[in-house]
């Protein structure tokens, strides 16, 4: 056997057929490399829908504020300051919920926190409908906002199952669900407020989260989170299940942490290290500006309409 034949045999012995192509598989791979092998398939669509459901629910809860504040203001004769408090308290809840549940999801996993925050949002939104006075409603809406802040873990969960090349596009597509939630809430307000009143609007606004309780129990734990807490085999088992769900088979590999994952994570101060400081500050300014103008426009729409109807321009 000549040298060229030996090289050919040696090369072919290190190649594995995966899907419809021949690809050289390393014995140790990172989560991202394993997800690239699996590709975008049915399970990624499932994770996309899970994130979409909570995004619809969050959009409806936020847009609800523009209808709820004005109707309750008329029924309970609230001042402008009271109306502002009823709106702002939800965002205060979101702030604290984001800070707490982000940390908890790193410790206990994405799936359990997603279920917990969806339950908080759903249950307390329903209880809001039973409010007998303004202070009670304010306290309950704070807790709803607290749950909404934690619901963002659904996006993290989805991203951790996406192959790197698909992440940018899919994250942008999730915004479709926010638009759908806004449209649905406006339609519900148009139908329910004149007939059943604001209490039933609160109940129907929470209803999309019922689908979260139906879908999430069938979801797999995050493989990245499992790997970070040293459950390597469980992480690999999840990836193999995802591959089979997609109609593929993951080769016999072992998982290793990427260089980024090996570094200490979860420390807020890391956002202001020399490497990330500029990006962090730019994103903070952009996000604050977008939130100010977007929510300002949404929440002022109803107020402007009511003032116009009453001739107060």
């Amino acid at each position: 056997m000549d040298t060229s034949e030996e090289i050919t045999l040696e090369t072919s012995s290190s190649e594995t057929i995966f899907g419809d192509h021949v690809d050289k598989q390393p014995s140790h791979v990172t989560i991202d490399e394993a997800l690239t092998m699996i590709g975008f398939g049915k399970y990624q669509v499932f994770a996309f829908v899970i994130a979409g459901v909570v995004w619809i629910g969050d959009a409806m809860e936020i847009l609800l504020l523009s209808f709820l504040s004005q109707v309750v203001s008329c029924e309970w004769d609230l001042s402008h300051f009271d109306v502002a408090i009823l709106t702002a308290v939800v965002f205060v809840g979101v702030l604290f919920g984001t800070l707490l549940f982000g940390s908890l999801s790193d410790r206990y996993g994405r799936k359990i926190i997603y279920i917990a925050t969806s339950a908080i949002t759903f249950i307390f939104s329903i209880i809001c409908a039973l409010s007998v006075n303004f202070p009670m409603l304010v306290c309950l809406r704070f807790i709803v906002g607290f749950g909404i802040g934690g619901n963002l873990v659904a996006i993290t969960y989805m991203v951790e199952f996406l192959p790197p090349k698909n992440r940018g596009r899919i994250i942008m597509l999730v915004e479709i669900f926010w638009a759908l939630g806004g449209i649905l809430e406006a339609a519900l307000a148009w139908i329910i407020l004149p007939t059943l009143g604001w209490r039933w609007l609160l109940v129907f606004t929470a209803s999309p989260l019922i689908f979260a309780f139906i879908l999430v129990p069938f979801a797999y734990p995050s493989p990245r989170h499992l790997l970070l807490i040293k459950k390597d085999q469980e992480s690999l088992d999840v990836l193999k299940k995802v591959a089979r769900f997609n109609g593929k088979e993951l080769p016999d590999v072992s998982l290793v942490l990427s260089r980024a994952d090996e570094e200490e994570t979860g420390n807020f101060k890391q956002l202001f290290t020399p490497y990330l400081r500029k990006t962090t500050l730019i994103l903070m300014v952009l996000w604050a500006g977008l939130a100010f103008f977007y929510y300002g426009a949404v929440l002022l729409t109803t107020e402007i309409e009511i003032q116009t109807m009453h001739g107060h321009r």
Side-chain angles (χ1 to χ4, degrees):
M1 183 182 293
D2 60 21
T3 306
S4 61
E5 289 178 337
E6 291 179 357
I7 294 174
T8 302
L9 288 174
E10 185 178 356
T11 303
S12 62
S13 65
S14 64
E15 294 180 340
T16 302
I17 297 179
F18 183 77
D20 298 326
H21 65 280
V22 177
D23 188 20
K24 185 178 180 180
Q25 303 296 342
S27 57
H28 300 283
V29 297
T30 64
I31 290 287
D32 282 351
E33 289 169 340
L35 289 171
T36 299
M37 295 175 188
I38 294 170
F40 187 90
K42 290 185 291 185
Y43 192 82
Q44 281 71 28
V45 173
F46 177 68
F48 176 71
V49 172
I50 288 178
V53 166
V54 77
W55 221 228
I56 288 175
D58 285 359
M60 293 177 68
E61 289 290 350
I62 295 300
L63 190 61
L64 168 70
L65 298 174
S66 63
F67 303 108
L68 179 65
S69 59
Q70 300 304 323
V71 176
V72 172
S73 174
C74 295
E75 183 172 324
W76 288 344
D77 192 27
L78 302 178
S79 66
H80 289 294
F81 180 77
D82 290 336
V83 173
I85 290 294
L86 183 59
T87 300
V89 73
V90 176
F91 294 101
V92 175
V94 171
L95 172 64
F96 285 101
T98 301
L99 293 174
L100 175 64
F101 289 115
S103 176
L104 291 180
S105 70
D106 285 338
R107 178 176 299 181
Y108 299 107
R110 323 306 187 201
K111 181 178 174 180
I112 187 64
I113 298 302
Y114 181 18
I115 294 174
T117 56
S118 295
I120 291 171
T121 306
F122 176 78
I123 292 170
F124 283 92
S125 186
I126 298 295
I127 297 176
C128 281
L130 305 177
S131 298
V132 296
N133 53 43
F134 178 68
M136 180 178 177
L137 181 60
V138 168
C139 292
L140 290 172
R141 292 308 292 173
F142 170 81
I143 300 175
V144 170
F146 187 66
I148 291 174
N151 284 346
L152 291 174
V153 74
I155 305 299
T156 302
Y157 177 85
M158 177 195 71
V159 170
E160 290 182 341
F161 281 94
L162 293 175
K165 70 175 184 178
N166 298 107
R167 286 175 187 164
R169 178 167 56 90
I170 299 302
I171 290 173
M172 291 302 299
L173 287 176
V174 171
E175 291 300 319
I176 292 174
F177 291 102
W178 186 276
L180 290 175
I183 294 169
L184 182 57
E185 182 63 25
L188 284 175
W190 180 60
I191 296 170
I192 294 174
L193 278 179
T195 55
L196 300 176
W198 63 270
R199 297 180 188 273
W200 278 104
L201 180 60
L202 283 166
V203 173
F204 281 98
T205 296
S207 59
L209 290 178
I210 294 175
F211 293 99
F213 302 129
I214 296 173
L215 295 174
V216 175
F218 296 98
Y220 300 132
S222 164
R224 181 175 180 273
H225 174 258
L226 290 173
L227 188 62
L228 287 172
I229 60 174
K230 310 302 181 183
K231 294 185 178 181
D232 301 23
Q233 188 56 48
E234 291 182 34
S235 178
L236 184 59
D237 290 342
V238 167
L239 289 171
K240 288 181 177 180
K241 290 177 182 179
V242 172
R244 286 194 292 270
F245 196 93
N246 287 0
K248 293 184 177 182
E249 198 67 35
L250 189 65
D252 187 16
V253 296
S254 61
L255 295 175
V256 295
L257 291 171
S258 66
R259 182 175 299 178
D261 288 334
E262 287 177 346
E263 298 176 358
E264 182 183 359
T265 57
N267 190 336
F268 184 75
K269 294 179 180 179
Q270 284 184 294
L271 295 175
F272 297 94
T273 58
Y275 178 70
L276 292 175
R277 186 185 301 122
K278 182 178 180 180
T279 301
T280 298
L281 292 174
I282 291 174
L283 288 176
M284 288 176 66
V285 172
L286 287 175
W287 193 248
L290 288 171
F292 180 82
F293 287 110
Y294 171 76
Y295 293 119
V298 169
L299 297 175
L300 277 176
T301 301
T302 308
E303 175 70 21
I304 293 172
E305 179 64 20
I306 290 176
Q307 294 294 333
T308 302
M309 290 173 61
H310 288 82
H312 303 299
R313 298 180 183 277

